[in-house]
Amino acid sequence: VVDTHVRRVSYRLGFTDQSDPGKIEQDLMQVFPQQKWNRVSNLLIFHGRYICKAKPLCEKCPLKHSCPSSLLLHG
């Protein structure tokens, strides 16, 4: 399921450059094995709700050192 959180986090982490939910889903399906799709979806949703919000909390993010968006925003 590609909701607002999955869309935002997938883009920021560099998993997709798409904005259409269907295309984002296809990109994510290429990155992650099928047996992990449900888990990945939940992780992206919760990460988007609590850390990678519209105004991201990069300083608290465990992925900040490998996140393309964080590196661009914070060097």
Side-chain angles (χ1 to χ4, degrees):
V1 176
V2 177
D3 71 351
T4 301
H5 305 296
V6 172
R7 182 179 186 176
R8 179 175 56 245
V9 174
S10 296
Y11 181 80
R12 287 183 179 163
L13 289 174
F15 296 143
T16 188
D17 60 359
Q18 302 294 321
S19 60
D20 176 80
K23 291 180 181 179
I24 294 169
E25 181 177 18
Q26 292 299 312
D27 286 345
L28 291 173
M29 290 168 66
Q30 297 300 311
V31 175
F32 298 101
Q34 184 174 1
Q35 66 269 22
K36 296 190 179 197
W37 289 349
N38 287 335
R39 178 92 168 129
V40 167
S41 178
N42 287 329
L43 288 170
L44 292 172
I45 289 168
F46 286 111
H47 190 68
R49 283 184 188 167
Y50 301 107
I51 302 291
C52 197
K53 303 175 183 186
K55 183 176 179 185
L57 303 173
C58 296
E59 68 280 357
K60 294 182 178 184
C61 182
L63 304 173
K64 67 182 172 189
H65 297 294
S66 59
C67 175
S69 295
S70 178
L71 294 174
L72 287 174
L73 290 173
H74 305 286

